[in-house]
Amino acid sequence: MSSGNTHLVVGSGPSAAAVALALSERPDQQVVVLDLGGRLEEERQAARARLAATGPDGWDPADLAVVTARTAPSGSATAVPQKRTYGSDYPFRDLGQTRGTSGPPGTNLDVASSAYGGFSTVWGAQVMPFSRSTFDRWPVSWADMEPHYRAVLAEVPLAGEPDDLAELFPLLAPTSGLPPLGPRTAAVLRRYERSRDEVRTRGVTVGRARLAFAARDCIRCGLCMSGCPYELIYSAAQTMDRLRRRPNVRVLDSLLVERIGQVGDQAVASCRDLRTGQRSEFTADRLFVGAGGLGTTRLVLGSLATPPPRLEMAESIQFVLPFLSTRPVEDPRGPGARDFTLNQFNLLLPFDDEGYTTSQVHCYPYNPAFLDALPAALRGRWAAPVSRQVLRRLSVGFGYLPSWASPPVRVVPRPGAAGGLPELDLGHPPGTGRPELLRAVLRRLLRVAPRLDLWPLLTHVTLSGAGKSYHFGGSFPHRHGDAGAGSPGTDRWGRLPDWDRIHLVDGSVLPSVPSTTFTLTVMANAHRIASGVLTGEAPVDLRLGSAVS
């Protein structure tokens, strides 16, 4: 049993928040969070607060314009524009965490967040567990994970409803139910119920979204995808704000952690203060690294005495797929149209009986970004009647394939500036083509299209570049026993052989990345690791190189 210990936590995103949540429940545990701490600009925060103080009828158009500013269309048929939150790019702003990262065209280089709250400040809020069968291949079982899924869902609000998805992916916690669904979603669900047996026989299950937001308070103002003015969508920043009010939690901002290590029975984090440039060291009994899958990977590669010359990260690759329906709904931009614009329904395609190999497509109703994605010829004023008819029929799906059916992300480190993080080359391995499973997914969706009136526009399927799904990890995966050849693995407590006081707790330790949603499992696994330290299940062994598993 851990008693009166000190702990360092690197990062403030979902995994770091889950660690701090577990540790700080014990008043005798002292927690210090080391974070870059990027924040929304004051003028945008002020505009958001003014909108939140009233209802949409009282909104100042100037404030609304500030918080809904979007990126310009990319002009690339294969690029998904970088998302904004309250009109800001601050979750992606480089404060040193991505400097020196490069890759071929199409590679996502915004792979680590400097924001307080990490990428949960700009995510899509989908929450589902991994299937039980996933854990049959891990050194961590479903029974190990389930109580930590529940502990996280006691902190994270869950909006969803029991449906066919629960057969493989149980809700695990009370839900608030979703707000009223948009007309396109309601039509698809009605058709699914009428043809449920046939659609499922053809390999597709339809269900409502599972979302981390306070749905009971939603007024359907339509700003979900640009940033909820009422902050109803969960962010790890909300948890960190609550925890930092506890007397045993300190959050230190403007710190870039550049090295980690261990001296005797003390874990060490070497940081650079972004305001002064000065370097300092923090020591504690344990160190938990939750800088995100790529952020943690980079930090570890720069800290190991003999890092691997290259490694591969598992990614659940993303594809974007528009759907058209023959039966139109009312114009989603009409004066009476009010909707929430997060993911509303999911298409699940299982390729076995145990829910191991699946593809999942998150389907979205209209939001203003749809206009940016229309061909230029349809964005002009003269084309308004045509674009109106397109928008009355259009849904957009963001789909995912499991990591074992997706190309990996190759990571090649290079020496960086003295004392700083290493530089990284990222990308898919040479010769990477379109995954075979994607073809099977598209064939199934086409087979059920007449029953759902949801026709995949196969000529406009785009496969996102390396790292763009943000569902990646596995650079130092949990493994049974000896890590073996290739990249080093971690024990079930996220420890590399070099260190027994340092725990990796984010996506970097996941043995695989299924197609279903990612963040809930990252948080539950981080909570499991931290809880194991408190209960003594993760003992220490000062003979470095033989961490106890």
Side-chain angles (χ1 to χ4, degrees):
M1 180 76 69
S2 176
S3 177
N5 285 342
T6 59
H7 308 279
L8 298 174
V9 179
V10 178
S12 63
S15 61
V19 167
L21 177 67
L23 296 176
S24 64
E25 292 290 338
R26 286 264 303 273
D28 63 334
Q29 305 297 305
Q30 300 300 312
V31 180
V32 177
V33 177
L34 309 175
D35 191 40
L36 288 165
R39 297 299 206 281
L40 181 67
E41 301 91 337
E42 289 185 6
E43 64 273 17
R44 296 187 187 278
Q45 179 62 30
R48 184 212 62 78
R50 288 191 293 269
L51 295 178
T54 184
D57 292 342
W59 284 350
D60 185 330
D63 285 338
L64 189 60
V66 167
V67 302
T68 57
R70 303 192 301 277
T71 56
S74 66
S76 169
T78 61
V80 176
Q82 187 188 78
K83 193 177 176 184
R84 292 289 188 262
T85 183
Y86 305 117
S88 174
D89 67 349
Y90 86 96
F92 305 95
R93 202 164 293 156
D94 183 16
L95 299 183
Q97 82 282 1
T98 57
R99 200 161 302 153
T101 302
S102 60
T107 301
N108 177 32
L109 302 180
D110 298 317
V111 284
S113 179
S114 61
Y116 177 62
F119 282 130
S120 69
T121 56
V122 73
W123 68 321
Q126 294 102 341
V127 282
M128 286 172 65
F130 290 173
S131 67
R132 290 174 182 265
S133 60
T134 297
F135 299 102
D136 294 341
R137 280 87 169 169
W138 287 23
V140 178
S141 70
W142 171 266
D144 293 330
M145 288 289 291
E146 183 177 1
H148 302 286
Y149 274 131
R150 295 184 186 279
V152 168
L153 288 172
E155 172 71 15
V156 176
L158 175 61
E161 299 175 27
D163 55 25
D164 287 351
L165 297 179
E167 294 172 9
L168 294 173
F169 305 98
L171 286 165
L172 294 173
T175 70
S176 63
L178 291 165
L181 300 171
R184 170 65 55 218
T185 300
V188 169
L189 292 175
R190 283 196 304 270
R191 293 188 182 101
Y192 174 68
E193 287 303 318
R194 287 200 297 266
S195 304
R196 177 176 176 272
D197 291 343
E198 182 178 352
V199 171
R200 294 196 64 173
T201 298
R202 295 184 179 187
V204 177
T205 300
V206 183
R208 291 167 176 79
R210 311 268 189 86
L211 300 170
F213 90 118
R216 289 191 182 93
D217 298 322
C218 177
I219 62 170
R220 293 184 293 152
C221 67
L223 300 186
C224 310
M225 298 300 287
S226 55
C228 174
Y230 304 99
E231 298 183 308
L232 301 182
I233 299 171
Y234 174 77
S235 164
Q238 297 168 0
T239 295
M240 296 302 294
D241 281 343
R242 184 174 69 82
L243 298 180
R244 68 192 302 167
R245 293 193 290 269
R246 293 179 172 177
N248 60 335
V249 177
R250 294 170 61 209
V251 179
L252 305 179
D253 290 334
S254 299
L255 292 175
L256 176 64
V257 180
E258 296 180 316
R259 291 288 187 276
I260 56 175
Q262 184 170 323
V263 178
D265 63 353
Q266 292 286 286
V268 181
S270 300
C271 309
R272 178 164 54 87
D273 191 309
L274 300 179
R275 296 160 297 194
T276 66
Q278 292 184 338
R279 286 186 163 89
S280 58
E281 285 191 348
F282 294 83
T283 62
D285 296 303
R286 303 270 189 155
L287 170 62
F288 299 85
V289 188
L294 208 289
T296 291
T297 299
R298 188 181 190 190
L299 179 56
V300 170
L301 288 173
S303 302
L304 289 172
T306 55
R310 68 178 58 202
L311 53 79
E312 289 187 343
M313 298 184 72
E315 180 179 19
S316 170
I317 199 166
Q318 179 192 76
F319 59 94
V320 182
L321 176 61
F323 294 90
L324 289 177
S325 298
T326 60
R327 301 172 182 85
V329 297
E330 59 267 27
D331 188 340
R333 301 165 300 169
R338 293 183 61 177
D339 213 349
F340 79 101
T341 54
L342 292 170
N343 162 223
Q344 290 198 0
F345 68 97
N346 296 324
L347 307 175
L348 178 72
L349 293 81
F351 287 86
D352 53 44
D353 294 333
E354 57 181 350
Y356 177 62
T357 297
T358 67
S359 176
Q360 184 160 247
V361 184
H362 306 296
C363 295
Y364 288 79
Y366 169 80
N367 73 73
F370 282 20
L371 290 172
D372 296 340
L374 290 177
L378 293 181
R379 294 199 296 267
R381 181 175 299 178
W382 65 271
V386 178
S387 62
R388 182 181 304 113
Q389 293 306 315
V390 170
L391 293 175
R392 293 179 65 197
R393 292 166 168 82
L394 179 66
S395 305
V396 175
F398 282 76
Y400 299 87
L401 305 178
S403 60
W404 51 95
S406 304
V409 179
R410 187 176 57 180
V411 181
V412 180
R414 305 185 308 270
L421 293 165
E423 297 182 352
L424 298 179
D425 284 326
L426 307 178
H428 286 147
T432 297
R434 178 169 284 201
E436 182 60 36
L437 187 63
L438 178 58
R439 296 184 178 92
V441 167
L442 298 177
R443 286 195 296 269
R444 282 196 186 183
L445 292 175
L446 195 58
R447 285 201 299 266
V448 301
R451 294 302 181 191
L452 300 178
D453 191 27
L454 203 63
W455 295 86
L457 199 56
L458 300 182
T459 55
H460 286 67
V461 181
T462 58
L463 196 65
S464 297
K468 187 62 176 178
S469 74
Y470 293 97
H471 296 185
F472 51 72
S475 44
F476 304 105
H478 297 315
R479 287 181 176 163
H480 291 285
D482 183 14
S487 63
T490 57
D491 69 5
R492 67 196 307 270
W493 307 110
R495 296 179 298 191
L496 289 159
D498 300 61
W499 308 307
D500 65 338
R501 302 276 179 154
I502 297 175
H503 304 260
L504 314 186
V505 297
D506 49 38
S508 64
V509 298
L510 299 187
S512 59
V513 184
S515 69
T516 49
T517 63
F518 180 75
T519 301
L520 180 61
T521 297
V522 168
M523 294 185 74
N525 195 48
H527 192 276
R528 178 191 64 81
I529 292 171
S531 298
V533 168
L534 292 180
T535 60
E537 296 177 80
V540 292
D541 185 342
L542 294 182
R543 296 168 297 161
L544 298 184
S546 58
V548 177
S549 62

